[in-house]
Amino acid sequence: MNASPPISEPEMPPNALDMLLPRHLSILKPFLKYINIEASVVVTICLSILALGTWLTLVWNHVYRQVSVWFMSSVIVNSDDELFECILAWLAEQNVTRNSRTLIARSRDSAGGYVVDSDTSNFKRSSAEVAMKYELSFGEHIFFYKRRLFLFHRDQRQGLGSPFRPGPAETVSLTCVGRSTQPIKELLTDAHARHLAKEEFLTTTRRPSPRHLRAGGGRLWSRIARRPSRPMDTVVLDPGKKAAVISDMEEYLLPTTEKWYANRGIPYRRGYLFYGPSGTGKTSFATALAGTFGIDIFVVSLLEPTLTEEDLLPLFSDLPHQCIVLLEDVDSAGLARNATRKTENDFREFSYLGTDVTRVQGISMSGLLNAIDGVASHEGRILVMTTNYPEKLDEALLRPGRIDMQIEFSMATRPQAQELFMRMYAHDETQTDLTLRAKTADGESGEEVIGRGDLEDMASKFAQLIPDHEFTPAEIQGFLLTKKNDPKRALAEVQEWGNMMMIAKGRVAALAGGSGDAPLGRSA
């Protein structure tokens, strides 16, 4: 009998290895043949490792979820809350940001500034290094705080970001081991305290957020500026009026004052009306007050087309306990005496991001009064209204309880003009001399030193050439800015500038007693 041929092990189809292994690993086939290992064995080992890895991942995720639920605590912060910025800024100062290998870089100044070449007076784009700000990227990061392990997770979510952080909305979560959130609260308190310490000498200005963010349940107020606090002595105002407002506001902000109001059933609110021509420093004084008392300023324009009466009350209700609310130019918002509701022809149209055109009705007097001192109105705030024409305002808006003090901002007096001159050229009271660039008799560049006494004498002569109550402080300051490095030139040209301004205002004849050629600052 013929012996039957031996049964050989079935071979894998020639293209099976290419199907199971990546194409670029086909070079393994000669190597596997050389070491006499079947391809099926390699595939089996690879699939086993893959299955084991998948199973371990599932087990780990399940165990991690159970540990997180029973033995870990978390706090989540959304990007539409300013605490979000505090956390990122605090972490940027810690080792976790320095040691992390995945960061997000942000430029604090995306555009280069301009500098002046002192020799050629040519403007050139600055090539100085732009300050960079680095933040932890998306995903998880591990760090230690007070010898405790923390997990930081940053992720995106549905919705739009905050007004001061455009783009998709984000969330950050802080997690620590333990069933108490107290360690996380301590971390957040520390981060917020450091944030406040950095802003101790800064004044934050806010405006209502865009309408689409307010409607989406986001923050009602958006931070639009954060600048060094303006010194009170930079505001040109009668010293008596300035002292009266500061003293009244200081007394109002005392902790005992609120209790005094509550015991007598008086609403804890304070209101001021700053009135006078444009450019007399009404808004500047409100900003300086906010910096002096270390509170934020919230600016509301009643002419904002997206602002309705339905928005006004929530905005006032969302104010912090102590702040300044600035209503600018209330006379221009239709809040005049005997003002009627706007008709259909007076409605203003606007569209945002291609949405349907919406008709918006302005703020009525009753809507404003309800937000200021209605039943549900906010307490603790300081209301400052500015106007150029106080006689146009309704008496209901000016009654005591709504407006407690009215301050007039008039045209500049001669003492105020002298103060402006000194402030422009003598930066502080300790400065004794002023060094100016000057040309020598040979035409070469040199320096000229003006003593403080001489500068004060120049300021006095400058003020004598400025008539009382004819120019606003802003106009005088604007003239001085064009000569900011040359007080002698400012003194020499102020008379010509004043005559030109009076001609433009059509009052040079009255000033000069009928002669348009009479010098400024002298009686005819």
Side-chain angles (χ1 to χ4, degrees):
M1 297 178 60
N2 294 332
S4 60
I7 300 176
S8 60
E9 185 177 345
E11 294 185 359
M12 185 175 290
N15 60 346
L17 188 60
D18 293 334
M19 296 173 59
L20 295 175
L21 295 179
R23 183 178 300 275
H24 64 276
L25 294 180
S26 59
I27 58 174
L28 291 176
K29 291 189 291 184
F31 176 73
L32 295 176
K33 185 176 181 181
Y34 176 76
I35 62 177
N36 196 22
I37 297 179
E38 295 293 340
S40 58
V41 176
V42 176
V43 172
T44 302
I45 294 175
C46 293
L47 293 177
S48 301
I49 294 175
L50 179 62
L52 179 61
T54 304
W55 180 80
L56 290 176
T57 301
L58 294 175
V59 172
W60 168 257
N61 291 336
H62 177 74
V63 173
Y64 182 78
R65 283 195 299 269
Q66 296 302 316
V67 172
S68 299
V69 171
W70 295 101
F71 303 104
M72 302 181 76
S73 304
S74 299
V75 174
I76 298 175
V77 181
N78 295 326
S79 59
D80 55 7
D81 194 301
E82 287 197 23
L83 188 58
F84 183 91
E85 297 291 331
C86 297
I87 296 173
L88 293 182
W90 184 85
L91 288 172
E93 302 173 357
Q94 311 304 313
N95 291 330
V96 58
T97 302
R98 300 188 187 100
N99 300 333
S100 178
R101 295 184 298 166
T102 54
L103 299 173
I104 296 178
R106 297 184 184 275
S107 173
R108 293 181 180 176
D109 186 8
S110 58
Y114 287 91
V115 295
V116 180
D117 190 321
S118 58
D119 297 328
T120 61
S121 297
N122 293 327
F123 288 90
K124 296 181 179 181
R125 187 170 296 274
S126 173
S127 59
E129 181 181 357
V130 178
M132 301 298 295
K133 179 181 179 182
Y134 295 96
E135 302 173 352
L136 293 177
S137 65
F138 298 100
E140 288 192 349
H141 305 266
I142 300 176
F143 67 97
F144 286 88
Y145 171 73
K146 293 184 178 180
R147 299 182 179 180
R148 184 184 290 267
L149 180 66
F150 283 84
L151 298 179
F152 172 86
H153 184 81
R154 183 176 181 180
D155 198 5
Q156 292 185 347
R157 60 183 176 88
Q158 296 294 328
L160 296 176
S162 65
F164 46 86
R165 179 173 285 268
E170 300 177 20
T171 60
V172 297
S173 63
L174 292 170
T175 305
C176 70
V177 178
R179 296 179 59 86
S180 174
T181 58
Q182 187 60 32
I184 306 177
K185 294 178 181 178
E186 293 178 1
L187 187 152
L188 295 177
T189 301
D190 188 13
H192 191 248
R194 293 195 183 189
H195 173 74
L196 294 179
K198 291 181 179 180
E199 294 192 344
E200 182 178 1
F201 301 103
L202 300 177
T203 299
T204 301
T205 303
R206 305 175 191 273
R207 284 188 180 273
S209 300
R211 191 177 188 186
H212 71 286
L213 291 178
R214 299 199 305 266
R219 290 187 62 84
L220 299 181
W221 296 95
S222 301
R223 186 185 67 231
I224 61 171
R226 183 184 294 164
R227 300 187 179 95
S229 299
R230 179 165 184 167
M232 186 59 67
D233 58 5
T234 63
V235 178
V236 178
L237 181 64
D238 179 80
K241 297 177 180 178
K242 186 187 299 186
V245 176
I246 294 175
S247 176
D248 184 78
M249 189 176 295
E250 184 178 13
E251 192 275 335
Y252 172 77
L253 293 175
L254 288 174
T256 56
T257 303
E258 183 175 5
K259 184 178 180 180
W260 188 93
Y261 273 73
N263 291 338
R264 289 157 179 79
I266 303 175
Y268 183 55
R269 292 187 287 263
R270 202 69 178 161
Y272 302 91
L273 176 68
F274 296 164
Y275 66 93
S278 178
T280 52
K282 301 183 293 293
T283 301
S284 299
F285 187 44
T287 305
L289 287 171
T292 299
F293 293 99
I295 55 181
D296 292 348
I297 183 168
F298 294 74
V299 183
V300 179
S301 174
L302 299 180
L303 293 177
E304 170 61 41
T306 65
L307 192 63
T308 65
E309 292 184 11
E310 291 75 14
D311 299 326
L312 201 59
L313 187 57
L315 284 171
F316 272 73
S317 300
D318 194 51
L319 293 169
H321 184 60
Q322 290 183 341
C323 65
I324 291 180
V325 181
L326 179 61
L327 295 180
E328 293 185 304
D329 299 326
V330 291
D331 57 277
S332 62
L335 302 178
R337 299 173 187 263
N338 302 322
T340 58
R341 297 282 289 176
K342 289 179 171 54
T343 63
E344 180 69 20
N345 294 331
D346 296 326
F347 288 170
R348 289 165 290 177
E349 297 183 349
F350 75 100
S351 62
Y352 183 79
L353 296 178
T355 57
D356 294 336
V357 174
T358 307
R359 297 183 182 275
V360 179
Q361 190 171 9
I363 306 297
S364 68
M365 175 65 72
S366 61
L368 178 60
L369 297 181
N370 187 43
I372 291 176
D373 61 357
V375 177
S377 61
H378 179 76
E379 293 195 3
R381 54 95 183 124
I382 298 172
L383 178 67
V384 176
M385 291 191 295
T386 67
T387 178
N388 298 340
Y389 307 100
E391 66 278 2
K392 294 183 179 181
L393 298 181
D394 195 295
E395 293 180 357
L397 189 63
L398 304 179
R399 71 164 178 80
R402 290 172 181 158
I403 295 299
D404 303 289
M405 183 179 292
Q406 300 186 23
I407 303 297
E408 181 182 7
F409 288 71
S410 61
M411 293 292 194
T413 62
R414 284 195 173 103
Q416 291 174 343
Q418 184 173 349
E419 179 185 349
L420 282 168
F421 189 93
M422 289 298 298
R423 195 184 73 198
M424 179 65 64
Y425 299 109
H427 301 296
D428 54 68
E429 296 180 356
T430 61
Q431 182 177 351
T432 57
D433 298 324
L434 178 67
T435 302
L436 304 177
R437 293 179 181 175
K439 294 286 186 179
T440 63
D442 300 333
E444 298 180 357
S445 298
E447 290 184 351
E448 180 182 0
V449 178
I450 299 179
R452 186 175 182 87
D454 295 334
L455 191 63
E456 291 176 351
D457 184 61
M458 294 173 63
S460 177
K461 293 179 180 179
F462 177 85
Q464 293 302 315
L465 297 175
I466 299 292
D468 273 327
H469 304 289
E470 288 293 342
F471 303 124
T472 66
E475 290 173 335
I476 298 175
Q477 181 173 279
F479 166 75
L480 291 174
L481 282 173
T482 62
K483 318 290 189 300
K484 60 180 178 295
N485 295 320
D486 196 344
K488 287 187 174 182
R489 185 182 174 192
L491 180 60
E493 298 181 4
V494 62
Q495 196 168 24
E496 179 183 358
W497 169 81
N499 284 331
M500 293 177 59
M501 291 290 294
M502 294 300 293
I503 292 174
K505 294 182 178 183
R507 294 205 301 273
V508 68
L511 176 68
S515 175
D517 297 330
L520 180 68
R522 301 179 184 177
S523 57

